[in-house]
Amino acid sequence: MRNNQNSEYVNIVADSKNSYMCFASNELEDCMYSRYGISCKNCIDCLSSENSENCYDCVKINRCFNIFHSNNCENCSNSSYLNECINCHDCFNCSNLENQSYCINNQQYTKEEYKQKIENLYLCQFVLIFHNTDHHAGEGEESDGVGDDHEVIEHIRELPDKVVGGDRAEEDENGYISKYT
């Protein structure tokens, strides 16, 4: 541990600052819960990351920026759920792609189509989280208006159909998406 600044609970870490609970890494800045990182900034829960910035929950990444939940990627940016991708940007849930952009599930889209589908996807995720929390509050004999948005909720619940090309998402007994049919 040499030349570390404001880095608590680091072990075998050198030349790092503002990092927390990192192991066997060098030149980290504002990183947390990461191992075997070299020259990374704002990376959290990463393993074997090099020259990357703004990454979360990634394994074996190099020269990546703003990617999340991805594995074995190089020179990728603004993407999530990638596996074995090289030189890709603005991709979601893709595998084994090289030099691609605006892809979802390995399917190519225009920039505008991609942005619309991603917006719908993130809206659906938000709504599913909202739907599975206490949105039934206030549904008693005397309603104060809270929870009276059934039409809106039902309309929003139809959005996953649009995101996955018309197929209905199946929910388990707790209301979580278990698979797409």
Side-chain angles (χ1 to χ4, degrees), residues 16 46 48 58 72 74 87 96 98 101 133 135 142-143 157:
S16 298
C46 292
S48 298
C58 296
N72 302 314
E74 187 170 335
N87 297 324
N96 302 309
E98 192 167 338
S101 59
T133 57
H135 74 278
E142 290 184 36
S143 179
R157 287 188 69 186

Side-chain angles (χ1 to χ4, degrees), residues 96-107:
N96 302 309
L97 294 182
E98 192 167 338
N99 301 316
Q100 297 294 314
S101 59
Y102 308 114
C103 295
I104 299 174
N105 299 330
N106 284 17
Q107 183 176 344

Side-chain angles (χ1 to χ4, degrees), residues 78-83 85 88-97 100-123 125 160 162-165 180:
N78 302 320
S79 301
S80 296
Y81 301 100
L82 300 183
N83 187 46
C85 292
C88 295
H89 69 86
D90 296 288
C91 294
F92 183 86
N93 199 37
C94 295
S95 294
N96 302 309
L97 294 182
Q100 297 294 314
S101 59
Y102 308 114
C103 295
I104 299 174
N105 299 330
N106 284 17
Q107 183 176 344
Q108 183 72 52
Y109 293 96
T110 66
K111 181 178 180 179
E112 293 77 24
E113 290 172 327
Y114 174 83
K115 288 186 181 283
Q116 182 62 46
K117 288 185 178 291
I118 289 297
E119 281 181 24
N120 287 343
L121 182 64
Y122 285 124
L123 175 63
Q125 288 177 341
K162 296 175 185 173
V163 173
V164 294
Y180 292 107

Side-chain angles (χ1 to χ4, degrees), residues 2-180:
R2 66 175 210 276
N3 297 325
N4 293 322
Q5 299 173 348
N6 194 30
S7 296
E8 295 184 7
Y9 305 107
V10 296
N11 193 5
I12 314 174
V13 172
D15 304 318
S16 298
K17 70 177 191 177
N18 301 325
S19 295
Y20 179 76
M21 292 192 78
C22 295
F23 177 76
S25 301
N26 292 314
E27 299 176 10
L28 301 180
E29 185 175 344
D30 300 317
C31 295
M32 298 189 316
Y33 311 112
S34 297
R35 292 180 289 176
Y36 314 118
I38 299 172
S39 299
C40 293
K41 186 175 183 181
N42 294 321
C43 292
I44 300 173
D45 283 336
C46 292
L47 175 65
S48 298
S49 55
E50 295 183 36
N51 306 304
S52 296
E53 187 173 344
N54 295 339
C55 299
Y56 173 72
D57 188 32
C58 296
V59 176
K60 199 175 177 193
I61 58 171
N62 187 15
R63 294 183 318 235
C64 291
F65 177 79
N66 212 28
I67 67 169
F68 309 95
H69 314 290
S70 299
N71 300 309
N72 302 314
C73 295
E74 187 170 335
N75 201 31
C76 295
S77 63
N78 302 320
S79 301
S80 296
Y81 301 100
L82 300 183
N83 187 46
E84 302 280 347
C85 292
I86 300 172
N87 297 324
C88 295
H89 69 86
D90 296 288
C91 294
F92 183 86
N93 199 37
C94 295
S95 294
N96 302 309
L97 294 182
E98 192 167 338
N99 301 316
Q100 297 294 314
S101 59
Y102 308 114
C103 295
I104 299 174
N105 299 330
N106 284 17
Q107 183 176 344
Q108 183 72 52
Y109 293 96
T110 66
K111 181 178 180 179
E112 293 77 24
E113 290 172 327
Y114 174 83
K115 288 186 181 283
Q116 182 62 46
K117 288 185 178 291
I118 289 297
E119 281 181 24
N120 287 343
L121 182 64
Y122 285 124
L123 175 63
C124 290
Q125 288 177 341
F126 172 77
V127 168
L128 288 173
I129 291 169
F130 171 76
H131 175 70
N132 288 317
T133 57
D134 192 23
H135 74 278
H136 294 290
E139 292 181 348
E141 293 178 22
E142 290 184 36
S143 179
D144 59 3
V146 177
D148 289 338
D149 298 332
H150 298 297
E151 296 83 16
V152 173
I153 295 296
E154 289 306 314
H155 171 72
I156 292 174
R157 287 188 69 186
E158 294 172 6
L159 288 176
D161 294 342
K162 296 175 185 173
V163 173
V164 294
D167 292 335
R168 180 73 181 153
E170 290 185 15
E171 297 179 0
D172 65 13
E173 62 276 358
N174 296 318
Y176 296 104
I177 298 295
S178 60
K179 68 177 183 174
Y180 292 107

